[in-house]
Amino acid sequence: MNNYLQKAYAFDGTVRIYAAITTEMVQEAKKIHKLWPTSCAALGRCLTIASIMSCTYKSGEHLTIKVCGDGPIGQITMEATDGHVRGFVHNPGVYLSYNNGKLNVGDAVGRNGYIEVIKDLHMRAPFSSTCEIISGEIAEDFTYYFAKSEQIPSSVGLGVLIDPDGNVLSAGGFLLQIMPGCKEETLLKLEERLKTLKSCSEMIAEGYSAEEMIEEITEGDYELLETKELSYFCPCSKERFKKGLMSLGKIELEDILATDHKASITCNFCGKSYEFDSKELEEMISSLALKEA
Ligand code: ZN
């Protein structure tokens, strides 16, 4: 398993930890979207937290997450279900760094704006919650999101390390959630631990597994639960885009047929292109005309 998540309980079950290795997933996103380093780090951190979050909710729950900052990257959109995630950024060509050479994700995403999380379990109305962006560095923003929107005191660590050629050397992260009944001394200990902890991308680049990251965070006081595979996955198909085209309505489709004689659509999430020729467009128009009649 190249991309995977390890779940664990720590400190007598009063802390829940999810640690994820997402290097290949982020490299795949880099290839699909031709991401420049800072866009890649931003989307990589977002894909990592989205994949982790999708493993914390009920199986089958579909998540749509938008990070809408005022920086040059523009909106970042992710979708995730059961560890399978896809996403894209408005501007893939951003390369900003701090004076120390570290990628400046905060300014690239923007320090003003909001995060929106939509959960859809397909049985009831989708549930949406929003909260403001704190720093644009993503991990801090989601830490704040969990505290504010889900009332769970949490800590999020996320990291993407990119080599001089722009390829992803390591990517991953963790989500730590404090459960009711957690002792004050555990909280203080964790707080101190997190201050001195190596960054996720460093740990993963050094070859740490997700289990070893958990070991490092808890200093050995943990109990491993399930492991889950994570992946970059786009379920798009010609059939899905056909539905989208049909939803434009008969007049719009007749217009496309008259001017372009075909429709080509490219999936924002995976870059795959789908072509609909004049014959297919005519069929859609006549089936819409039948419905109207
Ligand atoms: Zn797609």
PDB file of all heavy atoms in Angstrom, residues 38 150 172 263:
ATOM      1  N   THR A  38       4.415  25.507  -5.231  1.00  0.00           N
ATOM      2  CA  THR A  38       3.556  25.992  -4.132  1.00  0.00           C
ATOM      3  C   THR A  38       2.105  25.545  -4.329  1.00  0.00           C
ATOM      4  O   THR A  38       1.425  25.174  -3.367  1.00  0.00           O
ATOM      5  CB  THR A  38       3.663  27.524  -3.969  1.00  0.00           C
ATOM      6  OG1 THR A  38       5.043  27.888  -4.013  1.00  0.00           O
ATOM      7  CG2 THR A  38       3.075  27.980  -2.649  1.00  0.00           C
ATOM      8  N   GLU A 150     -16.867  21.605  14.376  1.00  0.00           N
ATOM      9  CA  GLU A 150     -17.234  20.275  14.845  1.00  0.00           C
ATOM     10  C   GLU A 150     -17.092  20.137  16.359  1.00  0.00           C
ATOM     11  O   GLU A 150     -17.321  19.066  16.902  1.00  0.00           O
ATOM     12  CB  GLU A 150     -16.396  19.217  14.114  1.00  0.00           C
ATOM     13  CG  GLU A 150     -16.438  19.422  12.601  1.00  0.00           C
ATOM     14  CD  GLU A 150     -16.405  18.148  11.790  1.00  0.00           C
ATOM     15  OE1 GLU A 150     -16.147  17.089  12.363  1.00  0.00           O
ATOM     16  OE2 GLU A 150     -16.660  18.224  10.579  1.00  0.00           O
ATOM     17  N   GLY A 172       2.171  13.767   3.526  1.00  0.00           N
ATOM     18  CA  GLY A 172       1.367  13.053   4.507  1.00  0.00           C
ATOM     19  C   GLY A 172       0.917  13.973   5.608  1.00  0.00           C
ATOM     20  O   GLY A 172       1.088  15.196   5.530  1.00  0.00           O
ATOM     21  N   ALA A 263     -19.459  18.777 -28.801  1.00  0.00           N
ATOM     22  CA  ALA A 263     -19.135  19.321 -27.485  1.00  0.00           C
ATOM     23  C   ALA A 263     -17.958  18.539 -26.937  1.00  0.00           C
ATOM     24  O   ALA A 263     -17.930  17.318 -27.009  1.00  0.00           O
ATOM     25  CB  ALA A 263     -20.334  19.181 -26.549  1.00  0.00           C
TER      26      ALA A 263
END
